[in-house]
Every structure is written in structure tokens, then in C-alpha cells.
Amino acid sequence: MLPLPKAPPSQATSIYLGNGLPNEILGAIFDYLSPDALTRVARVSRRWHANAERVLYSTIILHEVLPRASPAFATTAPASPAEQELKDFQTTTMTTTMPMTMPAVPITTLRCCETLSARPHLAEYVRRFHLRWETDAVESPLFLLRIAHHIARTLVPTLVHLDSLELSFDLAPHFLECAPNNYNNAPPQTPLSLLSPKHHSTEQQQQLHQLHQLHLLLLPPICLPSLRTLALRGIGTPPSHELERILYNHPKLLHLRLSDYHRALHLSPTDIPHLHSFRGHPATAASVLPGRPVQALALVGCESATEEDLARIAAGSIPVRALDLSGVSVTPTLLRSVSRHLSHVEWLKVRLALRHTLHYAFSGIVRHASCSFPSPLRSPHLSAD
């Protein structure tokens, strides 16, 4: 048997590098690679770089736990634009009580935003953009508000092919701690004298007013035709008409999560007509579900759902099949009301306090004969604290 002829070196190299494969097959292979592997294969060739880059930036999930403060950057090394902005912020804003530290900085977020800003073509690849901050230990939210404002108002609108967007800045608790109670409901043009307490200095009043201005502008002005999932948390309580405008601009939205928005929304019957799942406060759910095909509902918040809320929730175009009550306080009275208004629930999740209410809750469920669902629960989930 004669040996097969050897391919020329250039042709062998081309086959070895996968240049004979279509981009669709390369993309399908790269889908199975980790982000670290994608960064390595992107250095093989220009063609591999283009395909790996498309897969690498299709899903951006950033989860950062921010410390109380960040160490100051050394002045000897050349600073990146983000680091230079931090230095400028330290020079103009920080007081003399913290001369060697910077405010809490989401470094990974800043690096990602710099990359997307410096290379605009990457925005076309992004399909999922999930940003989650944990800011429990942060002292001052002012600099974080500036970064969040830039992301919401400048970066997010450029991601025109987004399918899923989550913005969880976790800044609302900090704003409520440092701002007067009447800041949340006041319009941006309200005079400082009507908002800031008299014992605050002029500088403190200006800082609080700046917090107020940035806080009201955390809702992104988006109109993304491919958006199917929208989750907002930790952005405070934006004006209802701004949120209503976003929902009006996204009629194909399927999943909506407003974990800390507690107001009712005034939507027209044609807004988000295909909504499949919702997560939010009972008052907000009661204003969203009527006339819409929501099958999965999760309620959150300190207050429990009232009879009126449940009656409006039951006015959807199809019955609710999955109900998550783990984010609210569950009592036998609430379960009895749920069984009366949402009788088609097949999947129920509740959280019961083991030390205080577990025995009382179960005894109440047994005694109330009306607390029974016509269709048996297929997957009852009970978690005890």
C-alpha cells in the first residue's frame, strides 16, 4: 500500500487551526469552552479570535461583593482611565478623615465597562447582561451611584441585542439611610431648602441633592427589541411613569422581576401582553397581572398580600400555576385567602419560621377546612428557618 501524500505545511497548518470549518461549527465548539479557555483560543488566529470573542461576550454576568473601602492606588504606576477617575474623585470629594483609602470600587465592573466602551463592536454580541453588587459594608454610596448612573444611562442602551437584562445595584438601602425621607417622592427640581434638614451644612445639602439626582436616574432609558427578561433591584423607587414607559417599549417581555419596587403601575391592556412570570411586591403584582397570561408568580416584601390584591392577581387571562411565597410572611389566613382566589395553583413554595409559627401554621391549615386547593399541589415546597 502506497503511503498517502503529505499535505503542504501551509495547508496542514490551516487544517490544524480549524480554518476549514465554518464559523457556525467553530461557534458551536466554542460554546462548550470556559471563559479562560476562550481567552486562550482567541490568541490562535484572527478568525478564532473573532469567533471566540463573539461567544465570550454573549453572556456577561458580574457579581461583586464590595468592601467598606478600597486601598488607594499607587502614584508611581501609570493609571488606567478608571483608576484616574478614582484618583480625581478622591482629590475632589474625599475628606481628610480617610486620606489613604478610596470609596468601595467595583473593579471588575469598571474593567468590563471600559472594554465595552473602547471596543463598540462588542456591544452587538451581548445577549445577557447581569450586574449584581453586594454593598452591605459600603460606607458612602456616592461614587457607586456615579458608576451605576453611567452604566444605566450610557452603557446599557448600546446593548441593542440584549435578551436578558439584570441590574441589581443594591444601593437603595444606602440612599434611604443617608437621605431625608421626603427625597424619594420629590421631583429632581425640588429646592434644597425643602428637602434638606436645616442642621445640614451647604456642602452636605449639595451632596444629598446630588445623591437625589443620581438616584432618580438609575433607571436605564432602554428600547431593546429583543429583550425578554428584565430584572431590576436596588435602584430605589424611580418615578412610576419612567418604569411604565420602559414596559410600554418592550411588548415582547416574558419575565419581569421588580424585587424592591412597591408601587402600583398604571399599564394599558396592550403593555407586555405576553408576560409569563412576575416577581415583585403584592401591590405591584395586583396592578400588573390583570389581563395578562402570568403563570408563575413570586411575591416579596415586608407586607403580606391583602384580599383585594389577591382578587386582582386572580384576574389574569390564565390562572396562576406556580406561586412562590417564600419572600413574604406566610400565615394560615394568607394561605386560606390564596386557596380561595388562586385555586389553580399546582406548585407552591412557602417559608415558615420553625421556632415560632411552624406548629401554629400547620394546625391552622388543618383546622381551616376552606384552605384546600381543588387540584392537588404537584410540588409543594416548604422551607423552615
Side-chain angles (χ1 to χ4, degrees), residues 129 148-167 169 217-232 235 241-251 253 255-256 258:
F129 185 80
H149 171 265
H150 177 76
I151 294 172
R153 311 294 292 190
T154 305
L155 177 63
V156 172
T158 65
L159 309 178
V160 293
H161 297 296
L162 270 186
D163 175 79
S164 178
L165 172 63
E166 177 182 349
L167 296 179
F169 293 128
L217 296 176
L218 286 183
L219 198 63
I222 54 176
C223 186
L224 308 172
S226 301
L227 193 64
R228 299 295 182 271
T229 301
L230 176 62
L232 301 174
I235 64 172
H241 66 274
E242 293 290 339
L243 186 55
E244 292 163 5
R245 178 180 56 82
I246 289 181
L247 299 181
Y248 171 80
N249 290 333
H250 298 87
L253 201 64
H255 310 283
L256 178 62
L258 305 174

Side-chain angles (χ1 to χ4, degrees), residues 334-375:
L334 175 61
L335 291 177
R336 182 178 56 193
S337 300
V338 167
S339 68
R340 183 162 53 248
H341 294 283
L342 305 177
S343 57
H344 293 83
V345 170
E346 300 174 355
W347 185 94
L348 176 65
K349 181 179 181 181
V350 298
R351 177 185 294 180
L352 303 174
L354 180 62
R355 293 175 297 175
H356 303 291
T357 63
L358 186 60
H359 173 73
Y360 168 75
F362 275 117
S363 61
I365 293 174
V366 173
R367 292 174 184 175
H368 290 295
S370 60
C371 188
S372 59
F373 295 84
S375 58

Side-chain angles (χ1 to χ4, degrees), residues 36-80:
D36 292 338
L38 284 172
T39 57
R40 291 195 295 270
V41 301
R43 295 192 290 265
V44 172
S45 66
R46 292 183 178 180
R47 185 161 176 263
W48 279 36
H49 180 274
N51 284 275
E53 193 176 57
R54 185 177 293 106
V55 176
L56 185 62
Y57 286 94
S58 64
T59 299
I60 298 178
I61 299 178
L62 303 175
H63 185 189
E64 291 195 73
V65 180
L66 303 182
R68 179 175 296 271
S70 302
F73 289 99
T75 57
T76 55
S80 66

Side-chain angles (χ1 to χ4, degrees), residues 27-280:
I29 295 173
F30 290 169
D31 280 335
Y32 291 93
L33 300 182
S34 65
D36 292 338
L38 284 172
T39 57
R40 291 195 295 270
V41 301
R43 295 192 290 265
V44 172
S45 66
R46 292 183 178 180
R47 185 161 176 263
W48 279 36
H49 180 274
N51 284 275
E53 193 176 57
R54 185 177 293 106
V55 176
L56 185 62
Y57 286 94
S58 64
T59 299
I60 298 178
I61 299 178
L62 303 175
H63 185 189
E64 291 195 73
V65 180
L66 303 182
R68 179 175 296 271
S70 302
F73 289 99
T75 57
T76 55
S80 66
E83 294 171 350
Q84 186 60 45
E85 184 179 355
L86 293 177
K87 290 183 179 180
D88 296 339
F89 178 81
Q90 184 186 31
T91 303
T92 57
T93 307
M94 296 298 290
T95 62
T96 56
T97 57
M98 296 180 60
M100 297 303 296
T101 58
M102 300 292 295
V105 177
I107 295 296
T108 305
T109 302
L110 287 178
R111 298 296 188 192
C112 179
C113 294
E114 284 182 358
T115 302
L116 293 175
S117 299
R119 307 175 67 185
H121 71 281
L122 296 178
E124 299 182 1
Y125 302 152
V126 183
R127 298 296 183 269
R128 298 174 61 197
F129 185 80
H130 294 186
L131 177 57
R132 304 164 190 160
W133 290 349
E134 293 185 22
T135 63
D136 294 338
V138 174
E139 286 185 345
S140 174
L142 180 56
F143 188 69
L144 292 178
L145 274 171
R146 291 180 175 178
I147 299 175
H149 171 265
H150 177 76
I151 294 172
R153 311 294 292 190
T154 305
L155 177 63
V156 172
T158 65
L159 309 178
V160 293
H161 297 296
L162 270 186
D163 175 79
S164 178
L165 172 63
E166 177 182 349
L167 296 179
S168 181
F169 293 128
D170 198 23
L171 295 176
H174 299 279
F175 179 81
L176 294 175
E177 291 174 1
C178 64
N181 294 332
N182 56 347
Y183 259 52
N184 279 337
N185 300 323
Q189 60 272 17
T190 304
L192 288 176
S193 58
L194 299 180
L195 293 174
S196 301
K198 295 182 179 180
H199 64 270
H200 284 171
S201 64
T202 303
E203 182 180 357
Q204 289 175 330
Q205 290 181 3
Q206 292 177 352
Q207 291 182 355
L208 287 175
H209 188 64
Q210 186 177 13
L211 280 172
H212 177 56
Q213 296 274 2
L214 294 173
H215 179 260
L216 291 177
L217 296 176
L218 286 183
L219 198 63
I222 54 176
C223 186
L224 308 172
S226 301
L227 193 64
R228 299 295 182 271
T229 301
L230 176 62
L232 301 174
R233 181 179 179 274
I235 64 172
T237 307
S240 59
H241 66 274
E242 293 290 339
L243 186 55
E244 292 163 5
R245 178 180 56 82
I246 289 181
L247 299 181
Y248 171 80
N249 290 333
H250 298 87
K252 297 182 180 180
L253 201 64
L254 298 178
H255 310 283
L256 178 62
R257 302 182 183 93
L258 305 174
S259 298
D260 57 357
Y261 188 88
H262 55 270
R263 298 179 182 176
L265 295 173
H266 303 283
L267 305 176
S268 67
T270 57
D271 293 343
I272 51 177
H274 306 292
L275 192 66
H276 178 77
S277 68
F278 177 79
R279 177 181 178 87

